């Protein structure tokens, strides 16, 4: 056993704290042979491998990354000789798999690391990373695939699904198609001017057209319009006016007429390390009931009006007054209202779908107090989305054409389930 208590996954997908077990070479082989009927032991170009049909499987155990890394960080080491095997296999028309084996108690999950991202590296060995959430997704869904922030694709597969995975089985999650299509129209990296956006919302009778934090409301209006116009409400619905019997969340992911789970649509400054979330206890109850919750976050580069003589702020306040908006009858008109924070324009360049579930709830979120009620009582605690640990709840992401995130990712990644 390892010496450090770290994240482990239980059969129901929940989180445990325990030390990593150590698997012998024989144990790793037996786990693979048990999951892959017809597979055999073999030696290929001097390396002990598992042969499965036309595939060469190279294996390592998935273990914690080590101190001082967080408990959810796990990895395998990819030795340089694996790269030589992969090149020889390609020449022989064989496919190479770099496979990590996660095993704890009755749970076995195989992590299939795409060799492509490692073949061009010159280091003697590389670490291929996987997070607790990847393992949770595999244990609960069967198969889960994503691209990490270094551009490497990894697919986590539950023991009973591994043979199907290696033979190409698996389907895309249909709900992601709605976001993929919306991104094709919205996530273009264009500069969106404040006055253009608020006028568009006003013309569409969007109830938040006069709000000072306009980028988030503009995103909501655009997404709601897109879903309705394109008939995609069977995949995801935006609910603006909630009934008293509904949960207070923007997004509903339905199965027929019943909510499968919920989510929230958010705009966030690209430079911000955190993004405000929802009421802590409400979110906890929602996840206990539905199993998962999706934060759909669109990140933007921001230009503030205060850096440009506040001309956009003045124009915005003038426009609001011209169409009959009055902030308060008790306050005199102020052309510099909200001047310190008003956004002259934004450019949406990246979107992320972040899943919060029972296995990562207390890791990816932190709480903050909202201040006090008018009567002096404390407001309920809210959560803050911690972008620093994004890999442990990342489901899907995309970037605007031509936008570079330090080479971390291509344009789109997929979520795969059986």
């Amino acid at each position: 056993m390892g010496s450090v208590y770290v994240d482990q996954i239980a059969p129901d997908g929940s989180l445990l704290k325990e030390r990593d077990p150590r698997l012998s070479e024989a144990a790793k082989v037996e786990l693979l042979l048990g999951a892959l009927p017809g597979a055999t032991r073999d030696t290929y170009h001097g390396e002990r491998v598992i042969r499965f049909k036309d595939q060469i499987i190279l294996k390592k155990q998935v273990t914690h990354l080590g101190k001082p890394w967080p408990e959810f960080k796990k990895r395998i080491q990819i030795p340089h000789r694996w790269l030589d095997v992969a090149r020889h296999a390609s020449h022989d028309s064989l496919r190479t798999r770099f496979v990590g084996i996660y095993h704890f108690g009755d749970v076995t999950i195989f992590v299939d690391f795409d060799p492509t991202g490692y073949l061009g590296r010159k280091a003697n060995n590389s670490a291929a990373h996987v997070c607790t959430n990847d393992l949770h997704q595999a244990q609960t869904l069967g198969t889960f695939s994503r691209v990490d922030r270094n551009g490497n694709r990894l697919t986590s597969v539950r023991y009973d699904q591994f043979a199907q995975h290696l033979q190409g089985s698996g389907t895309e999650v249909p709900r992601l198609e709605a976001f993929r299509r919306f991104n094709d129209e919205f996530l273009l990296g264009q500069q969106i001017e404040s006055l253009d956006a608020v006028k568009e919302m006003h013309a569409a009778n969007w109830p938040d057209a006069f709000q000072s934090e306009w980028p988030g409301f503009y995103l909501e209006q655009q997404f709601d319009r897109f879903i309705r116009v394109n008939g995609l409400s069977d995949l995801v619905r935006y609910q603006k006016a909630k009934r008293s019997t509904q949960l207070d969340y923007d997004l509903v992911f339905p199965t027929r007429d019943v909510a499968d789970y919920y989510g929230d649509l958010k705009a966030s400054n690209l430079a911000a390390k955190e993004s405000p979330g929802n009421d802590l206890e409400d979110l906890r109850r929602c996840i206990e009931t539905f199993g998962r919750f999706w934060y759909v976050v669109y990140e933007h580069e921001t230009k503030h009006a205060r850096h440009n003589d506040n001309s956009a702020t003045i124009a915005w306040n003038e426009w609001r007054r011209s169409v009959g908006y009055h902030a308060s009858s008790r306050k005199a008109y102020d052309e510099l209202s909200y001047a310190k924070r008003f956004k002259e324009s934004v450019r949406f360049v990246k979107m992320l779908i972040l899943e919060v579930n029972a296995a990562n709830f207390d890791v990816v979120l932190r709480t903050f107090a909202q201040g006090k009620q008018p009567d002096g009582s404390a407001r309920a605690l809210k959560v803050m989305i911690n972008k620093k640990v994004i890999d442990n709840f990342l489901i899907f992401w995309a970037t605007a054409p031509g936008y570079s995130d330090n080479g971390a990712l291509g344009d789109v990644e997929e979520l795969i389930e059986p």
Side-chain angles (χ1 to χ4, degrees):
M1 300 286 287
S3 60
V4 179
Y5 283 77
V6 295
D7 286 2
Q8 308 292 355
I9 297 296
D12 64 356
S14 60
L15 191 68
L16 303 171
K17 295 291 184 182
E18 188 52 84
R19 294 173 294 178
D20 280 334
R22 299 299 184 190
L23 295 177
S24 66
E25 179 67 16
K28 288 180 278 189
V29 169
E30 290 305 315
L31 287 170
L32 281 167
L33 294 180
L36 301 173
T40 59
R41 299 176 178 87
D42 199 357
T43 300
Y44 182 81
H45 280 274
E47 188 76 12
R48 288 185 293 180
V49 303
I50 299 295
R51 288 290 297 265
F52 181 66
K53 302 183 183 299
D54 61 346
Q55 300 180 58
I56 300 291
I57 299 175
L58 298 161
K59 64 193 180 302
K60 289 281 187 179
Q61 183 182 357
V62 170
T63 56
H64 179 240
L65 202 58
K67 291 183 177 181
W69 298 100
E71 288 87 347
F72 65 82
K73 287 275 192 179
K74 299 180 183 291
R75 57 93 174 95
I76 66 168
Q77 290 297 127
I78 296 178
H80 191 273
R81 62 181 184 275
W82 280 19
L83 308 183
D84 293 333
V85 170
R87 294 185 185 101
H88 283 294
S90 178
H91 184 267
D92 293 339
S93 298
L94 299 172
R95 180 169 183 176
T96 305
R97 302 279 190 172
F98 293 173
V99 174
I101 303 173
Y102 172 80
H103 181 75
F104 180 82
D106 295 328
V107 174
T108 299
I109 296 166
F110 300 102
V111 185
D112 184 10
F113 296 96
D114 186 345
T116 305
Y118 304 94
L119 288 174
R121 297 183 182 177
K122 297 180 180 180
N124 290 330
N125 58 69
S126 300
H129 296 158
V130 61
C131 294
T132 303
N133 187 52
D134 300 308
L135 304 175
H136 166 86
Q137 297 291 340
Q139 187 64 17
T140 55
L141 294 178
T143 306
F144 173 68
S145 181
R146 71 178 177 95
V147 174
D148 67 19
R149 288 190 290 175
N150 293 317
N152 301 308
R153 178 172 290 278
L154 61 150
T155 303
S156 304
V157 188
R158 196 173 58 211
Y159 181 90
D160 62 301
Q161 299 287 326
F162 195 49
Q164 297 177 32
H165 164 71
L166 294 189
Q167 296 175 87
S169 177
T171 58
E172 296 180 15
V173 172
R175 288 185 175 114
L176 294 186
E177 182 60 24
F179 294 101
R180 189 179 294 108
R181 290 175 60 182
F182 178 62
N183 290 343
D184 288 342
E185 179 178 298
F186 181 79
L187 192 66
L188 302 178
Q190 75 274 32
Q191 205 74 31
I192 301 172
E193 302 296 331
S194 55
L195 206 55
D196 292 340
V198 298
K199 285 181 177 180
E200 186 174 348
M201 285 190 284
H202 186 251
N205 296 314
W206 195 249
D208 295 306
F210 298 129
Q211 295 286 351
S212 51
E213 287 295 336
W214 61 268
F217 295 113
Y218 181 69
L219 169 65
E220 293 174 354
Q221 184 263 326
Q222 291 290 297
F223 184 77
D224 177 65
R225 178 198 58 78
F226 180 85
I227 294 299
R228 288 186 290 101
V229 166
N230 290 280
L232 298 172
S233 58
D234 58 330
L235 299 177
V236 57
R237 295 196 300 269
Y238 184 86
Q239 54 176 15
K240 186 64 176 175
K242 289 98 173 170
R243 296 189 297 271
S244 59
T245 56
Q246 292 176 312
L247 291 171
D248 188 23
Y249 301 120
D250 296 338
L251 302 178
V252 181
F253 298 94
T255 298
R256 298 181 177 88
D257 294 328
V258 179
D260 193 11
Y261 54 94
Y262 288 84
D264 244 17
L265 185 65
K266 293 188 174 295
S268 178
N269 191 325
L270 185 69
K273 301 302 182 185
E274 295 179 312
S275 180
N278 304 86
D279 178 89
L280 171 65
E281 292 307 320
D282 284 350
L283 183 59
R284 192 185 300 276
R285 283 191 292 269
C286 183
I287 292 172
E288 288 173 352
T289 302
F290 297 97
R292 62 192 72 231
F293 185 92
W294 281 11
Y295 279 111
V296 181
V297 182
Y298 281 79
E299 295 191 311
H300 55 77
E301 298 175 338
T302 308
K303 290 184 179 180
H304 284 93
R306 66 178 183 269
H307 298 143
N308 191 23
D309 298 326
N310 288 310
S311 57
T313 306
I314 295 170
W316 170 65
N317 280 305
E318 285 289 341
W319 172 79
R320 289 200 302 175
R321 184 169 68 163
S322 73
V323 294
Y325 174 79
H326 299 285
S328 173
S329 59
R330 294 174 295 177
K331 292 184 178 180
Y333 170 71
D334 180 7
E335 68 177 9
L336 293 177
S337 175
Y338 210 68
K340 290 183 179 179
R341 300 179 62 185
F342 189 70
K343 297 172 179 65
E344 177 179 304
S345 65
V346 300
R347 191 169 79 97
F348 286 97
V349 294
K350 183 163 58 170
M351 71 85 68
L352 312 106
I353 298 180
L354 310 172
E355 178 176 304
V356 185
N357 52 53
N360 65 13
F361 188 95
D362 294 316
V363 177
V364 301
L365 302 176
R366 73 170 183 86
T367 60
F368 73 98
Q370 303 179 76
K372 295 185 179 297
Q373 301 277 13
D375 63 2
S377 61
R379 294 182 186 270
L381 289 175
K382 295 192 77 171
V383 299
M384 188 73 79
I385 303 167
N386 184 359
K387 296 182 183 179
K388 294 179 181 178
V389 293
I390 203 169
D391 274 341
N392 202 36
F393 62 141
L394 182 64
I395 296 295
F396 172 95
W397 71 348
T399 56
Y403 173 73
S404 175
D405 192 24
N406 297 321
L409 188 68
D411 283 344
V412 172
E413 67 163 273
E414 312 290 343
L415 169 65
I416 306 296
E417 66 181 8

